[in-house]
Amino acid sequence: MTKPHVAVLYGGWSAEREVSLASGAACADALESRGYRVTRVDVGRDIALRLAELKPDVALNVTHGRPGEDGTLAGILEVMQIPYTHSGVMASAVAMDKAMAKKIMAAAGVP
């Protein structure tokens, strides 16, 4: 069985770019060492076009901050019907909005 083509999404434009580049490279190295076809993608504002060209089987989201952890990237992947690792759009968006996350937790009885 052929292993899937994985687009490792890393970098981006957040203040956490350097951390994302390092962790993304480590993830890509690990996948390649296990025989996966990997394309390393430094996430830019043209990410939808890049993914349309690459046509990966799955995306490994290793971006930090915005747009990777706030649901933006997940939304793009959802629209493009590319399976991905990471939380979904709503969970990501709520988790990035700490005040909203606290309200939701409080309403659910979680202190």
Side-chain angles (χ1 to χ4, degrees):
M1 183 172 143
T2 305
K3 292 190 178 184
H5 173 205
V6 181
V8 175
L9 309 178
Y10 68 140
W13 55 86
S14 82
E16 300 173 64
R17 175 179 170 73
E18 294 306 316
V19 173
S20 178
L21 289 171
S23 53
C27 289
D29 290 346
L31 288 165
E32 288 171 341
S33 75
R34 287 161 179 80
Y36 287 87
R37 180 176 160 220
V38 173
T39 302
R40 298 164 192 240
V41 182
D42 188 349
V43 174
R45 297 185 191 280
D46 64 342
I47 187 61
L49 293 173
R50 295 282 317 278
L51 290 169
E53 292 169 357
L54 292 172
K55 297 178 178 45
D57 297 312
V58 64
L60 174 60
N61 180 5
V62 195
T63 57
H64 296 273
R66 299 179 195 274
E69 290 180 300
D70 69 349
T72 303
L73 191 51
I76 292 167
L77 294 165
E78 290 279 345
V79 168
M80 297 184 75
Q81 298 181 325
I82 299 171
Y84 59 93
T85 63
H86 208 278
S87 301
V89 177
M90 185 184 301
S92 296
V94 169
M96 284 292 283
D97 183 336
K98 302 309 180 208
M100 181 58 71
K102 289 177 182 180
K103 287 179 186 176
I104 291 171
M105 291 296 164
V110 178

